[in-house]
Amino acid sequence: MIKNIVLFLLLFTGLAVKAQHNPDDQIMSDNWDVIGSVDFKIVKDTEMFAVYNNNIKKFANKPFELEGYIVPIKDGMKQTKFMLSTLPINQCYFCGKNGVPIMVLVELTEPIKFTYQTITVKGTLKLNTGNAMDNPPIVLAAAKPI
């Protein structure tokens, strides 16, 4: 029994170390800081609304550029609609102190091949005022890879 417990602890420790966030993979930029400035107001368990400050509002409906990692929302090697994140998909988003990384919805005009490397996209920054539980609050619409 003790042998099984020790084996379990060693296995669990190995998995926990593998799942930790590598700080070198985090994308940081002034534009991500603008995106990260959005706050949220929780109305009830099923309703949450983005609160946009003037810093992000001045970019609304204008060209906006972001570098990040593709987080697919559909299967397939070609992607036209996906989330763009500050952390790679293979990082554990829900572990430790890091929490969920900042993400925006990207809607490309032409499909691109999925990659684990960072990509840079430029599109029109859209700010959704609806329930953030139903729709991503920030969208890069009509985007193109750079």
Side-chain angles (χ1 to χ4, degrees):
M1 169 122 168
I2 300 246
K3 192 176 180 180
N4 288 340
I5 292 172
V6 170
L7 181 62
F8 175 76
L9 289 175
L10 286 173
L11 179 63
F12 182 78
T13 303
L15 291 174
V17 169
K18 187 175 184 177
Q20 290 183 1
H21 165 64
N22 179 355
D24 295 335
D25 290 340
Q26 180 95 36
I27 300 294
M28 292 188 232
S29 71
D30 290 341
N31 283 359
W32 277 114
D33 289 344
V34 169
I35 301 297
S37 70
V38 175
D39 284 325
F40 292 91
K41 179 181 177 185
I42 299 173
V43 177
K44 53 185 172 179
D45 289 347
T46 58
E47 289 185 13
M48 178 172 68
F49 296 91
V51 178
Y52 303 109
N53 61 31
N54 290 333
N55 191 30
I56 194 167
K57 284 181 182 178
K58 67 183 175 187
F59 295 103
N61 301 310
K62 294 182 181 169
F64 198 79
E65 185 177 309
L66 280 174
E67 177 188 11
Y69 297 95
I70 295 174
V71 178
I73 53 178
K74 290 189 177 182
D75 289 340
M77 288 305 292
K78 297 271 184 163
Q79 299 288 318
T80 55
K81 192 174 185 179
F82 54 88
M83 300 303 288
L84 192 70
S85 171
T86 59
L87 286 172
I89 193 171
N90 63 351
Q91 296 284 352
C92 181
Y93 294 152
F94 307 104
C95 297
K97 301 177 205 171
N98 297 323
V100 179
I102 301 168
M103 287 194 254
V104 300
L105 179 66
V106 175
E107 297 172 336
L108 292 177
T109 56
E110 297 288 326
I112 62 168
K113 187 176 178 185
F114 172 80
T115 179
Y116 287 102
Q117 305 302 314
T118 63
I119 63 165
T120 302
V121 293
K122 187 174 186 176
T124 303
L125 188 72
K126 299 288 185 181
L127 305 177
N128 290 330
T129 57
N131 185 354
M133 297 281 206
D134 299 326
N135 297 297
I138 303 169
V139 178
L140 271 183
K144 295 181 181 186
I146 299 178

